[in-house]
Amino acid sequence: MRLSDCIPGKKAKVIDLMVNPTYKKRILDLGMLPGTEVQIVRKAPFGGPIVVQLRGYQVSIRMTEAKNIEIESVS
Amino acid sequence: MNKSLALVGNPNAGKTSLFNILTGTRQYVGNWPGVTVEKKEGLIKKLPEYVLVDLPGIYSLSAQSLEEQLAVTYLLKESPHTLINIVDASNLERNLYLSVQLLEMGLPSVICLNMMDIAKDRGLQIDIPALAKILGAVVVPMVARKANGHDKLIDLLREGVQNATLTVPYPTEVEAAIRDLDTLLASSPWNFRTSRRWLALMWLEGNETVEEILRHQLPAELIQQMEAVRAAYPAAIEHRIRNARYDFIEKIICEVTQQSQNPAGRTWSDRIDSLLLHPVLGIPIFLGFMYLIFQITFSWIGTSLSDQLDEWISGPLTDWLKAGLTAMSSPDWFTQLMTDGVLAGVGSVLVFLPQIGILFFCLSFLEDSGYMARAAVLMDRFMSMIGLNGKAFIPLILGFGCNVPAIMATRTLEDPKSRLITALISPFMSCSARLSVYSLFVAAFFKHGGAAVVFTLYVTGIVVAILTAFLLKKFVHAEEGTFLLEIPPYRAPMLKSLFLHTWDKAKGFVRKAGTIIFGMSVLIWFLGHFSWHGFAPIEHSWLAAIGGLIAPLFAPLGFATWQAGVSLVTGFLAKEVVVSTMSIVYGAGDDGKLGDLLHHTFTQPVALAFLFFVLLYTPCVSTVVMMWRETGSSKWTLISVGYSVAIAWVVAFVVYHISQLIF
């Protein structure tokens, strides 16, 4: 499952980040590592950026990247 | 030489608040060497031997945008005496990532645990002594916004701070690589102030800034050996280092914090966002805010204050000046120069001070409250259509205040080509200086629906910027860069910092009135009163000749008068000068208001065309210089100047002809 498919409010765990190296460095620095618990807070219509909550704060990323972030849902 | 204190921290961690509290008004703005990014420095009253340097906010030491690179380069090259690391206690986990990296550097460091009040409100308890023990550094709890806790920081700094000694445990093979590199570095002739272990780590992580400095400082042979060490380990070693750091931080969080309430509940910030970032309502609300700002600046508060100021300047102040000059028995021409030249010119611009102050106040409010980040999210989809990133929207909004900081703010973007495009389109954002021209004309010609006219002007500026970006996309292949933007919780802006910011901008405006506008007023008065034959009526003066020379260019736009021509030429120095020039050329000194005098040569359609021309034509000389410095390209700067005049002419032409049908 990809982060882009996640329903707002549901919790998930990051499995793999299949994004370009520069982006990966940055998102890892911001604390989104494999194993980190994330939650989509809100999605914009027409494929606008999504807001993701992790480690107690919120960050906005684009759908293009969210589509390349592999997750598994956590009950 | 003063010893330097570097203020480092994540964006939104409260750096500016702490900086303001520590330095008060003893701060000054310079530039970072070689670039135009503002470098804020300040003196602390109780610590006279130090100078405090405010670094751009960073999330980690692996820098990508230019601002981040500056911060990291400063830490490495200037090697500050002590690091003051400000940490947001309510967002401890991510903030500690930078702290850990900084502490690993091994420089003397203090940690300021800011926003203790917010952390407490969220039910987060932090065992500060335990945290200090694990990190091996002093931790000072504080609420910078409420000026709480900084006295202790000053005491600590006065006593002197120990070098940081934090050692994060890394996986075995990382540790082995660190050892190898440490041995190599120990043999080097260069004397490090930072810890060798930290340099080794940065080398393994592939930190570009550190790598560049090492390559510069160390013999090539040693660099080769270091490269061999790095190559011997799997490529993912940098990720393992990051993982280990976050593992270490998770452990710290576990040990030193206690969450008493259920944090899953929606915070009030989330509730606000569900409205302001609403899928459908978000953008209309954003536009609503913009409109509201124009109403406040324009209709509700700004204009009435401006009117009062205007009455005072053209009434009592002019009378006093005249009386004073007569008492000193000054010659007639000098009295005229002072009243009809200087006071009319400078005064006509100064009356817009309230409106400009209010506009900056509103923009600072949006920025400090955290709404700007939301605006970037809302606009990202839209910005990506013109090949830009939502983040590029923030410099554009700042352009409403002044185009110069807008161009400077493009430094926060990662991709150099997006920076170029954003810098090139930002002058179309209608700056507050142009507002003075709008105010004048709207008051004279559009008594009803003035705010709507001004709003249309602003929107037109945005539309032209967008179309220009579209056009540029064909010639400049910009990458959109990474859109990864923190959404900070909403915060009630601190009144003191709003006023400080507004005061700062207002001061700049007054200074401009006192220098450039003063000088121009004197010059225009002379040009307007003399010709080759000496003292002459204004219609036969040099000024009329200059204006008349270019006036035919504007005939298709409806304002082919020499007065309009001259004001547009002088407007290149600063857009406010358009107003002061008109005030002088129409002789709006003590008798009669400038607005009424304009009715002789302008009609409603002509006034509209003139306003659109002023909106779009070449921005002021400071903006052009800034653009030249930032883009580093004379070619693009010249293109921008030529293009904006052309587009202004075309748009004004269309507006003139359409509005003739309407009015």
Side-chain angles (χ1 to χ4, degrees), chain B residues 101-238:
Chain B
Q101 282 191 318
L102 290 173
L103 292 171
E104 283 181 306
M105 281 179 91
L107 296 174
S109 308
V110 192
I111 291 187
C112 297
L113 204 54
N114 191 21
M115 307 202 196
M116 289 300 288
D117 52 343
I118 297 173
K120 207 173 156 197
D121 286 347
R122 293 206 192 146
L124 187 72
Q125 277 183 339
I126 303 170
D127 183 347
I128 290 166
L131 180 64
K133 194 162 171 252
I134 299 178
L135 295 177
V138 204
V139 177
V140 187
M142 63 169 61
V143 185
R145 287 160 51 88
K146 293 180 186 157
N148 184 338
H150 64 284
D151 289 331
K152 201 181 159 205
L153 173 68
I154 291 175
D155 289 343
L156 273 168
L157 291 169
R158 192 182 295 124
E159 283 162 25
V161 180
Q162 297 291 311
N163 280 6
T165 52
L166 178 70
T167 312
V168 178
Y170 290 101
T172 333
E173 61 268 40
V174 179
E175 289 287 352
I178 294 174
R179 264 197 307 279
D180 293 349
L181 288 171
D182 188 67
T183 322
L184 287 173
L185 286 168
S187 71
S188 98
W190 186 40
N191 196 14
F192 313 106
R193 245 198 96 206
T194 55
S195 94
R196 285 202 302 272
R197 181 183 168 86
W198 177 81
L199 283 172
L201 272 166
M202 289 294 130
W203 181 262
L204 288 173
E205 264 186 59
N207 184 305
E208 284 162 28
T209 322
V210 174
E211 212 167 307
E212 194 196 306
I213 290 167
L214 287 181
R215 280 182 200 282
H216 191 69
Q217 295 283 356
L218 301 181
E221 194 191 337
L222 196 64
I223 293 289
Q224 268 176 16
Q225 285 171 308
M226 286 171 67
E227 269 172 353
V229 173
R230 188 164 58 185
Y233 290 90
I237 195 160
E238 55 187 272

Side-chain angles (χ1 to χ4, degrees), chain A residues 22-31 33 41-42 45-49 55 57-62, chain B residues 60 62 64 68 91 93-94 97 239 242 246 250 270 273-274 279 380-381 480 482-485 487:
Chain A
T22 325
Y23 193 84
K24 189 163 179 176
K25 257 192 192 175
R26 213 174 173 86
I27 202 161
L28 288 176
D29 280 347
L30 285 172
L33 312 162
V41 182
R42 67 189 82 253
F46 319 117
R55 297 187 192 264
Y57 78 100
Q58 296 183 351
V59 67
S60 177
I61 65 176
R62 277 185 175 169
Chain B
S60 79
S62 43
Q64 279 167 1
E68 294 170 333
N91 187 357
E93 208 168 325
R94 199 210 53 223
Y97 185 79
H239 300 327
R242 286 182 165 84
Y246 264 110
E250 278 169 23
D270 275 337
D273 265 347
S274 44
D380 179 64
R381 185 85 193 92
E480 283 174 29
T482 50
F483 183 80
L484 197 56
L485 192 67
I487 309 295

